[in-house]
Amino acid sequence: MFSPPAPSRKQDASETDLAKHDEEDYVEMKEQMYQDKLASLKRQLQQLQEGTLQEYQKRMKKLDQQYKERIRNAELFLQLETEQVERNYIKEKKAAVKEFEDKKVELKENLIAELEEKKKMIENEKLTMELTGDSMEVKPIMTRKLRRRPNDPVPIPDKRRKPAPDIHLHQLNYLLTDEQIMEDLRTLNKLKSPKRPASPSSPEHLPATPAESPAQRFEARIEDGKLYYDKRWYHKSQAIYLESKDNQKLSCVISSVGANEIWVRKTSDSTKMRIYLGQLQRGLFVIRRRSAA
């Protein structure tokens, strides 16, 4: 058989040198790649420090947009909250002013109504005194002083303490209703005045007025904050017509219902009046329903 010739020694040496040369080239190439990467990183670091790095600028632009968007949202929220607070302030201020004005008007109306009621009570007392012939003036008692005889003992002055005037009498008088005052005055006059023949011109022979006639008495009472009058129920804020004995017809609204009286407010001038149950029962005032419109 034929066999290939064995490699010579010179050929083996050349192959060894070639392998060694390739390994040196590989090491040199790796070194060059390392140096290039290191130079690139150094260059990027320098650009980052100078602020010219493209990746840095891109991310900074995104952060800046997020920052501006957040600031804009915060300013919008601040503006919205400020407007809401201002609206609430204006609303509360208007409500406070309105409440103050309403309270002031109500206080004035209540004081006027109380003074008008006191004035009417005094006028009724005066009228009652004139009708019964009684007088509110206190007449002094005339006494005669006799001369003391020489042998008479010296009179001892009376040192009994005079009763203190009742300072609450005037106040208690206004706590009574109009009907109670009239009834008490009539009773006192009957007890104090002596009976005398009645003349045709005396009050006993005069025809009774419709307000004092027993046939003109109406059923009126207050239960559970409501007024029962002439077989009808009336409540607060109800629109009514108020007719007086002098044929005046007023358009009113019931403002409140008390224990023994009601308060009504005139729709014409918003003034208030107090009407007692006794006045309704005796027909001094007549209530009629009317439409709220």
Side-chain angles (χ1 to χ4, degrees):
M1 294 180 64
F2 176 79
S3 59
S8 63
R9 184 178 297 177
K10 184 177 180 180
Q11 186 178 0
D12 293 338
S14 62
E15 291 179 355
T16 303
D17 292 338
L18 181 60
K20 185 176 180 181
H21 180 71
D22 291 339
E23 184 178 356
E24 289 177 355
D25 290 341
Y26 177 73
V27 171
E28 184 179 356
M29 185 176 62
K30 289 183 65 177
E31 180 67 20
Q32 184 64 33
M33 291 176 62
Y34 170 74
Q35 291 297 331
D36 292 342
K37 288 183 177 180
L38 182 61
S40 176
L41 289 175
K42 287 183 178 179
R43 186 172 60 255
Q44 291 179 4
L45 180 61
Q46 182 65 26
Q47 292 177 352
L48 179 62
Q49 291 177 351
E50 294 175 355
T52 60
L53 185 63
Q54 185 177 3
E55 183 67 20
Y56 169 75
Q57 291 179 348
K58 182 178 179 181
R59 294 190 180 183
M60 279 298 299
K61 185 177 181 180
K62 185 177 181 181
L63 288 176
D64 186 64
Q65 290 178 352
Q66 294 177 354
Y67 165 75
K68 290 181 179 179
E69 183 68 18
R70 189 171 181 180
I71 291 297
R72 188 175 69 87
N73 292 337
E75 290 177 351
L76 291 176
F77 181 75
L78 175 61
Q79 183 180 0
L80 180 64
E81 289 293 324
T82 303
E83 292 176 355
Q84 182 67 25
V85 170
E86 289 179 353
R87 285 195 297 268
N88 292 338
Y89 165 73
I90 295 174
K91 183 179 179 181
E92 290 294 331
K93 184 178 179 180
K94 290 182 179 179
V97 172
K98 186 177 183 302
E99 183 180 0
F100 171 73
E101 294 296 334
D102 292 343
K103 293 290 185 181
K104 184 169 65 174
V105 172
E106 182 179 2
L107 177 60
K108 185 177 180 180
E109 290 178 353
N110 291 338
L111 291 177
I112 291 176
E114 290 180 3
L115 294 176
E116 290 292 337
E117 184 62 26
K118 291 180 180 179
K119 179 182 177 182
K120 290 180 180 179
M121 292 176 67
I122 294 175
E123 292 176 351
N124 290 336
E125 291 179 3
K126 181 180 178 182
L127 179 61
T128 304
M129 294 298 180
E130 292 177 353
L131 292 176
T132 56
D134 197 358
S135 177
M136 298 178 64
E137 298 179 357
V138 179
K139 298 180 179 179
I141 301 175
M142 301 298 295
T143 58
R144 293 178 60 190
K145 292 184 179 180
L146 301 177
R147 290 181 298 174
R148 186 172 60 88
R149 297 179 181 179
N151 296 329
D152 291 341
V154 178
I156 301 175
D158 188 4
K159 295 184 180 181
R160 289 179 297 178
R161 185 167 56 180
K162 298 180 179 179
D166 190 359
I167 61 175
H168 300 287
L169 182 59
H170 185 69
Q171 299 176 0
L172 291 176
N173 185 26
Y174 288 103
L175 294 178
L176 299 177
T177 64
D178 190 17
E179 181 182 7
Q180 292 173 342
I181 293 174
M182 299 288 289
E183 186 66 27
D184 292 344
L185 290 173
R186 285 194 293 267
T187 304
L188 291 174
N189 290 327
K190 289 180 181 179
L191 294 176
K192 292 170 59 178
S193 301
K195 293 184 179 180
R196 55 181 181 269
S199 62
S201 61
S202 62
E204 289 80 358
H205 282 72
L206 293 177
T209 60
E212 297 296 333
S213 177
Q216 294 294 326
R217 292 187 65 86
F218 295 89
E219 182 179 4
R221 66 178 185 272
I222 294 176
E223 294 181 4
D224 299 329
K226 297 181 180 180
L227 170 66
Y228 181 79
Y229 172 77
D230 196 18
K231 300 181 181 180
R232 291 178 180 268
W233 287 100
Y234 296 85
H235 55 81
K236 182 182 177 182
S237 302
Q238 184 170 353
I240 61 170
Y241 285 116
L242 184 65
E243 300 177 3
S244 60
K245 61 181 181 179
D246 52 357
N247 296 327
Q248 289 185 355
K249 188 175 182 180
L250 304 175
S251 177
C252 305
V253 176
I254 299 177
S255 59
S256 64
V257 180
N260 198 31
E261 77 283 341
I262 64 170
W263 283 88
V264 297
R265 186 181 72 253
K266 299 180 183 178
T267 56
S268 59
D269 54 4
S270 298
T271 58
K272 290 187 177 181
M273 295 175 56
R274 179 188 293 177
I275 309 297
Y276 289 98
L277 285 179
Q279 294 173 331
L280 294 175
Q281 293 170 352
R282 290 183 285 114
L284 295 179
F285 292 99
V286 178
I287 292 178
R288 307 294 183 193
R289 287 188 176 182
R290 71 177 178 90
S291 175

